[in-house]
Amino acid sequence: MASHKIGVIVDSFRVGVKEGIKKAKEVGADGIQLYAVRGEMDPDNLSQSARKELLKYIKDNGLVVSALCGDLGGHGFTIREDNKAKIEKSKRIMDLAKDLETNVVTTHIGVIPSDKNHERYKILQEACEELGDYADQVGAYFAIETGPELAATLKNFLDSLSSKGVRVNYDPANLVMVTGDDPVQGVYTLKDYIVHTHAKDGIMVQKSNPEFIYKCFAEGLPENFHLDDYFLEKPLGQGDVDFEAYIKALKDIGYYGFLTIEREVGENPEKDIREAVQFLKKII
């Protein structure tokens, strides 16, 4: 019988790549997701021999790579003059993904407007068409993470692309915390596009403007503005994501890939991740 695999974002341990890989094994994960944007995991800093050595280390710990995170920060791909460099960097991250035997690169592209005539919509389409074409060429997926817009808006955007290489990294907590969208129904909405998921939980404290929230992530927080006045990330099972219904929905659409635990806050991430692995194993 098919069953989901459990992954962990190595960076959530906050201990470095190799130590994080060891901890992922210790907590009982099947795989890992790695940030691959800067530092030791920047594609420009990893020779072919270093890539082979890293992959061997991962395999020696009994793990596989579920995906790479290629989030370049800032405003994503919404500023046309910045996109040439960002697209080339994203292509190199896809190359690295293939060398590490995964075909998924996840990222935030910026807030997709609901109005298809918005100039930003066109800019995002242009960038994603090029990235999707490259993904098709190398046998990879460039997966947009849910969160800044409603699931229906993301689906309409994906439907507008000619490439099949742009897909979805489904993060249920982002929908709960920022847009207030239903994370279970969103699975059915995006069923044709989901290639990777995050296991994350959270609550919305009060309604916010997603455009403003993601501008804060890109440019920094204004004085006296606190994100936790609007939403809070929680350990799995302590937020408003109904994980039993969420995982049932994933099964309903035939997704049996990775549920990759992401823990971006908290004083003891290793404890939270270990408990999250056990929480997921009970459900799946």
Side-chain angles (χ1 to χ4, degrees):
M1 183 176 177
S3 179
H4 291 99
K5 297 175 182 177
I6 297 174
V8 175
I9 294 184
V10 164
D11 304 74
S12 292
F13 289 111
R14 306 173 208 160
V15 293
V17 174
K18 286 198 169 181
E19 188 62 27
I21 291 168
K22 286 169 60 178
K23 287 189 177 297
K25 178 185 179 181
E26 290 168 6
V27 301
D30 302 301
I32 55 170
Q33 182 175 8
L34 296 152
Y35 273 79
V37 173
R38 60 186 65 88
E40 61 183 309
M41 284 302 301
D42 187 323
D44 295 337
N45 295 334
L46 280 168
S47 65
Q48 284 302 317
S49 61
R51 296 175 188 208
K52 290 177 181 176
E53 181 185 334
L54 175 60
L55 181 59
K56 182 179 184 300
Y57 186 80
I58 292 166
K59 289 182 173 181
D60 286 349
N61 278 277
L63 301 167
V64 299
V65 180
S66 70
L68 295 186
C69 179
D71 194 339
L72 299 175
H75 293 276
F77 295 88
T78 62
I79 301 174
R80 182 176 275 121
E81 53 267 32
D82 294 344
N83 281 353
K84 183 176 180 181
K86 286 191 168 188
I87 288 169
E88 287 308 308
K89 184 79 169 184
S90 297
K91 290 178 180 178
R92 301 293 76 79
I93 296 170
M94 280 190 262
D95 292 339
L96 175 60
K98 295 295 290 183
D99 285 340
L100 295 178
E101 297 184 359
T102 181
N103 61 355
V104 179
V105 172
T106 73
T107 193
H108 288 281
I109 65 167
V111 184
I112 300 169
S114 56
D115 180 4
K116 292 184 178 182
N117 295 313
H118 195 292
E119 180 62 20
R120 193 195 318 143
Y121 200 96
K122 299 171 186 175
I123 294 170
L124 288 171
Q125 280 179 316
E126 291 169 5
C128 285
E129 288 286 13
E130 184 172 349
L131 286 162
D133 286 344
Y134 189 78
D136 284 340
Q137 290 173 32
V138 299
Y141 294 121
F142 188 72
I144 300 170
E145 186 164 325
T146 53
E149 59 283 311
L150 298 173
T153 301
L154 177 54
K155 179 187 183 298
N156 288 336
F157 176 78
L158 292 165
D159 287 346
S160 77
L161 302 177
S162 60
S163 164
K164 301 299 182 186
V166 181
R167 298 293 180 94
V168 168
N169 175 52
Y170 199 92
D171 188 314
N174 288 349
L175 295 172
V176 165
M177 295 189 297
V178 181
T179 63
D181 207 357
D182 181 344
V184 176
Q185 182 55 48
V187 170
Y188 298 107
T189 300
L190 292 164
K191 62 183 176 62
D192 295 329
Y193 293 105
I194 298 171
V195 294
H196 190 263
T197 74
H198 280 167
K200 192 170 75 179
D201 208 348
I203 62 170
M204 179 186 287
V205 178
Q206 62 174 308
K207 191 75 175 171
S208 62
N209 180 344
E211 294 255 5
F212 180 72
I213 293 296
Y214 277 83
K215 183 179 180 182
C216 289
F217 284 129
E219 299 178 0
L221 299 178
E223 191 174 354
N224 299 320
F225 180 82
H226 305 284
L227 289 174
D228 56 10
D229 289 337
Y230 293 88
F231 58 83
L232 294 169
E233 184 189 320
K234 294 283 190 178
L236 293 200
Q238 297 182 28
D240 287 338
V241 177
D242 182 341
F243 272 91
E244 290 201 11
Y246 170 57
I247 291 173
K248 179 184 181 299
L250 290 172
K251 291 178 180 178
D252 286 347
I253 68 165
Y255 176 84
Y256 286 95
F258 271 93
L259 306 167
T260 298
I261 296 161
E262 181 177 28
R263 186 69 173 135
E264 297 184 287
V265 300
E267 294 180 2
N268 191 341
E270 183 177 349
K271 173 179 177 291
D272 292 341
I273 292 167
R274 190 181 296 274
E275 290 176 355
V277 170
Q278 297 308 312
F279 175 83
L280 289 174
K281 284 185 175 180
K282 287 178 183 176
I283 297 175
I284 64 176

